[in-house]
Amino acid sequence: MEELIEKIKEHLNTRMKLAKLTLVEKGVLLFANLITDGLVIIFIVLAFLFVSLAFGFYLSELLGNSYGGFFLVSLFYFLMAVLVYATKDKYLEKPIINNMIKKIFKKQEEE
């Protein structure tokens, strides 16, 4: 009977170690995904910023004043922000949440 209890304790300890390692693996995978996705987002934002500046300068030149082009670009971004805010629950938050859940459990599905 004592041997059985000892085997059960050993099994439980092994399961706890496995759970800890699995949790660490998922955490590291999530962290790595966040870092790489963050870098991609930073580069996209920088490219978008420079395109926006170039477009602002271009529109300013077309309009003949130094602030008109940048005002139009700013107005466009303001309208986009209002549109995103109005539709964020349906079109942004749920897909982002679902994508994160898929990334977290992707490794588990492969096993």
Side-chain angles (χ1 to χ4, degrees), residues 70-82:
F70 291 100
F71 178 75
L72 289 176
V73 172
S74 299
L75 182 63
F76 171 74
Y77 287 138
F78 178 74
L79 293 174
M80 291 300 294
V82 169

Side-chain angles (χ1 to χ4, degrees), residues 83-95:
L83 180 68
V84 167
Y85 183 76
T87 60
K88 71 177 177 139
D89 293 334
K90 185 175 182 180
Y91 296 110
L92 287 176
E93 288 179 353
K94 288 180 184 178

Side-chain angles (χ1 to χ4, degrees), residues 21-31 104-105 107-108:
L21 289 173
T22 303
L23 182 64
V24 167
E25 179 184 22
K26 288 187 186 304
V28 168
L29 181 64
L30 179 63
F31 184 71
I104 291 170
F105 290 107
K107 185 71 173 175
Q108 187 178 10

Side-chain angles (χ1 to χ4, degrees), residues 40-82:
V40 169
I41 289 170
I42 287 171
F43 289 129
I44 288 172
V45 167
L46 285 172
F48 199 66
L49 174 69
F50 284 112
V51 167
S52 296
L53 286 170
F55 193 60
F57 281 119
Y58 175 73
L59 288 176
S60 292
E61 195 172 304
L62 283 180
L63 294 173
N65 59 30
S66 61
Y67 60 87
F70 291 100
F71 178 75
L72 289 176
V73 172
S74 299
L75 182 63
F76 171 74
Y77 287 138
F78 178 74
L79 293 174
M80 291 300 294
V82 169

